Amino acid sequence: MKKKPLALWIFTGLALGIAAGMLLMGRPDIAEIYIKPFGTLFLNLLKFIVVPIVLFSIMNGVISMKDIKKVGSIGGKTVIYYMCTTFFAVTMGLLIANLFKKGFPVLSTSSLEYTAAETPSFIQTLIGIFPSNIIQPMAEASMLQVIVVALLFGFGTIVAGKKGEVFGNFVESANDVSIAVMSFIIKLSPIGVFCLITPVVAANGPQILGSLAFVLLVAYIGYILHASLVYSLTVKSLAGIGPLKFFKGMAPAMIMAFSSASSVGALPLNLECTEKLGARKEVASFVLPLGATINMDGTAIYQGVCAVFIASCYGINLTLSQQIVIILTAVLASVGTAGVPGSGMIMLAMVLQSVGLPVEGIALVAGIDRLFDMGRTTVNITGDAACAVIVSHLEDKRLKKA
């Protein structure tokens, strides 16, 4: 493991998993019973370490900055970047979908039934960000609430001055221990990726070749174009990092995100990759957990493609004004559904409702949502990483001027 880079081992696990999944397409139950549990075990370990990593790393980062205004500066740059890239992402999704919509299959909508989850109001989302106790956010791995807890204790330690130094030392030690535990878990990544991807390919292989294959292909074209254009341009122009270096450094986290379809599950590896790319620990520790919750570039592309596809199945041609409404709704929904379980489907329901499309249309793509999710999660975490290295570079430049 030490002689070859981790990315190569993880890619090998991915390739072997896809091959094993294809061999088991006739018997997906074997992969489900004997292989998937080990993938779930690995994903549980990743989720287990996420809360302590986020909690202690953000607290440690805030304390080390010694300035509440500096945290505000980083937060402002982060939110602006996420909102801008989400805008470009949903626009990209709509453009690609309109370009290829003549090739979309027209599926029957007569027997569709789908009950959309309740969309939280802005006030409900705002209230939900602030926890009523300190244990619940950690027990439920509610990332936005964990971030709020970490920020409040970090600010409190700064304000306490010398009296807070003992607590600050404890946080620094706890952060180092959490990182050490994370490094043990990450070494299992090749095996974990194999066990996560094999049952997905075994169960969904026939569907990949089915009627929705072209819709899936269009979404992935959007994912690849957005990542290769938007992230390449921004990391090069704003962080001075070449695209090849960036994507090569991000390969382990991207493969993990693709296999697990979990932004939170890929977070520990994403933290490690961004720090190797030059992001400062305190910046990455704040930007990445926030991004895992509110940054949904891949999901925004998915909204655009699915909205055009569902509209075509109902025989509806979306006007320019309707597509502008989709763009605005997707951007606002990415923040409005932050931290809500199943936010991708909730966002799609909001987008469809915003232009008068039947929510039942979601049932057309729900069957292969996992396949869409693998790609959109990969884009999401790559966008988080791009933001981390960019904000870190901008903060370094600001400090040099000061």
Side-chain angles (χ1 to χ4, degrees):
M1 290 289 286
K2 291 180 181 178
K3 292 179 182 179
K4 294 181 181 179
L6 181 63
L8 180 60
W9 286 106
I10 294 176
F11 181 78
T12 302
L14 178 70
L16 291 174
I18 291 172
M22 292 176 72
L23 290 172
L24 292 171
M25 279 196 295
R27 291 294 307 275
D29 55 307
I30 294 176
E32 188 77 18
I33 296 170
Y34 297 106
I35 298 176
K36 187 177 179 180
F38 295 99
T40 304
L41 186 152
F42 173 68
L43 203 54
N44 286 347
L45 286 173
L46 284 173
K47 291 178 179 179
F48 151 77
I49 198 60
V50 161
V51 170
I53 281 284
V54 171
L55 180 68
F56 292 120
S57 61
I58 289 181
M59 277 198 285
N60 191 48
V62 170
I63 294 166
S64 65
M65 290 182 202
K66 300 178 181 178
D67 186 357
I68 295 175
K69 289 182 180 178
K70 191 175 179 182
V71 179
S73 172
I74 292 171
K77 291 183 180 75
T78 300
V79 172
I80 290 170
Y81 181 85
Y82 286 153
M83 295 289 280
C84 289
T85 56
T86 301
F87 172 84
F88 282 114
V90 68
T91 304
M92 174 80 72
L94 287 169
L95 287 173
I96 295 294
N98 279 296
L99 188 63
F100 292 105
K101 71 177 180 180
K102 288 184 179 179
F104 284 165
V106 179
L107 305 181
S108 173
T109 58
S110 58
S111 60
L112 292 183
E113 289 184 13
Y114 184 86
T115 304
E118 184 180 351
T119 304
S121 67
F122 174 76
I123 296 298
Q124 287 174 321
T125 303
L126 185 63
I127 293 171
I129 291 172
F130 298 92
S132 58
N133 66 71
I134 196 171
I135 303 299
Q136 188 175 355
M138 299 179 202
E140 297 178 354
S142 177
M143 284 299 106
L144 268 184
Q145 292 187 344
V146 171
I147 291 168
V148 169
V149 170
L151 289 173
L152 290 175
F153 274 89
F155 294 155
T157 306
I158 292 172
V159 173
K162 287 188 176 181
K163 291 183 179 178
E165 287 179 1
V166 174
F167 182 75
N169 291 334
F170 161 74
V171 169
E172 185 177 3
S173 176
N175 185 48
D176 290 340
V177 171
S178 299
I179 290 170
V181 174
M182 180 184 76
S183 67
F184 296 148
I185 296 170
I186 285 174
K187 287 178 181 177
L188 300 172
S189 297
I191 299 169
V193 165
F194 172 86
C195 295
L196 285 167
I197 198 69
T198 299
V200 173
V201 174
N204 295 282
Q207 289 177 302
I208 295 172
L209 303 173
S211 58
L212 291 173
F214 189 70
V215 182
L216 197 64
L217 176 63
V218 171
Y220 272 81
I221 290 172
Y223 297 153
I224 293 167
L225 282 176
H226 182 75
S228 58
L229 293 176
V230 176
Y231 300 149
S232 293
L233 288 171
T234 53
V235 297
K236 179 63 177 176
S237 59
L238 298 175
I241 298 175
L244 288 177
K245 179 182 177 182
F246 174 73
F247 287 111
K248 184 180 178 181
M250 281 300 300
M254 291 173 73
I255 296 171
M256 175 58 65
F258 183 79
S259 305
S260 65
S262 170
S263 294
V264 172
L267 185 55
L269 204 52
N270 207 5
L271 279 162
E272 188 173 282
C273 290
T274 50
E275 285 178 31
K276 287 180 179 178
L277 284 168
R280 286 160 55 192
K281 186 182 289 186
E282 64 267 25
V283 174
S285 299
F286 175 75
V287 172
L288 294 181
L290 187 62
T293 308
I294 71 168
N295 182 41
M296 300 185 183
D297 290 0
T299 308
I301 294 168
Y302 163 78
Q303 314 296 324
V305 171
C306 287
V308 173
F309 166 61
I310 291 168
S312 68
C313 287
Y314 281 97
I316 299 169
N317 284 317
L318 295 172
T319 64
L320 179 60
S321 60
Q322 284 178 312
Q323 295 191 43
I324 291 171
V325 170
I326 288 173
I327 292 170
L328 295 174
T329 304
V331 172
L332 295 174
S334 67
V335 177
T337 57
V340 179
S343 57
M345 284 296 185
I346 294 175
M347 279 180 67
L348 183 55
M350 292 171 69
V351 164
L352 295 178
Q353 288 172 335
S354 70
V355 290
L357 290 173
V359 175
E360 291 79 8
I362 295 175
L364 293 170
V365 294
I368 60 166
D369 184 65
R370 169 63 189 245
L371 299 176
F372 283 110
D373 198 10
M374 291 161 70
R376 69 185 185 231
T377 301
T378 306
V379 175
N380 289 345
I381 68 104
T382 308
D384 300 344
C387 185
V389 295
I390 288 167
V391 171
S392 187
H393 182 74
L394 294 176
E395 283 299 303
D396 287 341
K397 285 178 69 175
R398 186 180 69 85
L399 289 173
K400 286 178 181 178
K401 289 181 181 178

